[in-house]
Amino acid sequence: MIDNNQLLRFTTAGSVDDGKSTLIGRLLYDSKAIFEDQLDAVAATSKRKGHDGVDLALFTDGLRDEREQGITIDVAYRYFTTPKRKFIIADTPGHIQYTRNMVTGASTANAALILIDARHGVIEQTKRHTFIASLLQIPHVIVCVNKMDLVDYSETVYTDIVSQFEEFSSKLDVKDVRFLPMSALDGDNVVNRSQNMKWFKGAALLHTLETIHIGSDLNKIDARFPVQTVLRPQREGFIDYRGYAGRLASGILRPGDEVTVLPSGFNSKIKTLDTEKGSLKEAYAPMSISITLENDIDVSRGDMIVKVNNQPKPLQEFDAMLCWLHNDAAKPRAKYTIVHTSNEQKAMLKNVVYKIDINSFSRIEDDTSLNMNEIARVTVKTTRPLMVDEYRENRVTGSFILIDEATHETVAAGMIV
């Protein structure tokens, strides 16, 4: 049974003009998730541009430059809900120079929608976007073969594209892949099943998104609780209350569990798990809670509460796959601020092990520069140990960002390997 409060985040990726924005516009339009004033504004813009009907792509291209150029530049987030589920969509650009935007939009996604133009089949950008989805360990990939109306709804064209995709994606770490033929412009297989492709026996896209099982996407085994702040209300009824508040990154915690506070290594037992609505008998990721312990030990922001017999690795030097996000290239051995869960400290890029050619997936081992949109395996050294897991095991405790100390701009996003 689907929890109708469950939130599914999904990202869209594809080449320019594959119809990403049109697809999202169709999803929003057909699921009645558009306000009248938005509809009026888009209808007016469509008319001004000489379109016969409403240009669905304009619902997501929120920036004026995007509307004028007819392309998506930045990540556009859209929220909509159906009786079965809530959704957050990250519409990301297709151009190679916006690889960083796709990484940003996809980093928290449960599913990735990869659009392929039925006329062109699998192209370089399809491979690039699938590689990034694989790198970011997005649990579910839905390959949308779009513009089927332009190939006469041919089953042969569709099955050929499925074969092309399966051939190259077999080399990547993509767990759950589904395929769907559609026409976003006409609405075939988006919200409603297509009458033009009766040979396709699967469900329409919205039904797939509403029913896809995401409960097991989170790591429920490794309990990781990064402490964000210490609660000391000092008011009547809570005079002696000392709670450690934050969001449970993974795993399950219960009162009575034996826990260790890292990095100090002090042990204690969980006394209570509290929320604004009262105490819980069990907490699971990604709930926001306050933990009280039976012993009065020193715990502060940046510490991590874990189970005694299941602990992350305290590492001061580690390798990571890094996507460089900033216009300025990475400076060798420069100091950065690393933000890992609620922990901030100084870090240095020790060296670039190799870069990835994201068109061919091959390694570039003789080039140690790192420029915007490039992805590389690097070695990071920090001033104090971080409590880390591998990204493939835990997307929260296995990821981090780097911040430039002078400008306070985020310059890179990393996944620990």
Side-chain angles (χ1 to χ4, degrees), residues 191-253:
V191 171
N192 304 307
R193 291 275 318 261
S194 170
Q195 295 304 305
N196 296 308
M197 291 178 278
K198 290 185 177 173
W199 46 263
F200 178 70
K201 303 303 180 195
L205 176 63
L206 183 61
H207 181 77
T208 304
L209 291 171
E210 285 179 332
T211 55
I212 203 164
H213 179 65
I214 59 171
S216 56
D217 294 350
L218 282 167
N219 180 330
K220 294 208 173 74
I221 298 165
D222 307 316
R224 305 284 186 262
F225 183 78
V227 176
Q228 288 184 16
T229 190
V230 181
L231 302 180
R232 296 294 308 276
Q234 300 286 312
R235 60 188 174 82
E236 196 176 333
F238 296 93
I239 295 297
D240 296 321
Y241 187 90
R242 181 193 287 267
Y244 308 110
R247 173 177 280 185
L248 191 53
S250 59
I252 298 168
L253 291 175

Side-chain angles (χ1 to χ4, degrees), residues 245 294 318 322:
E294 291 189 354
F318 50 84
L322 196 74

Side-chain angles (χ1 to χ4, degrees), residues 42-54:
V42 167
T45 308
S46 303
K47 191 174 179 182
R48 197 171 67 244
K49 287 183 157 193
H51 297 300
D52 291 336
V54 174

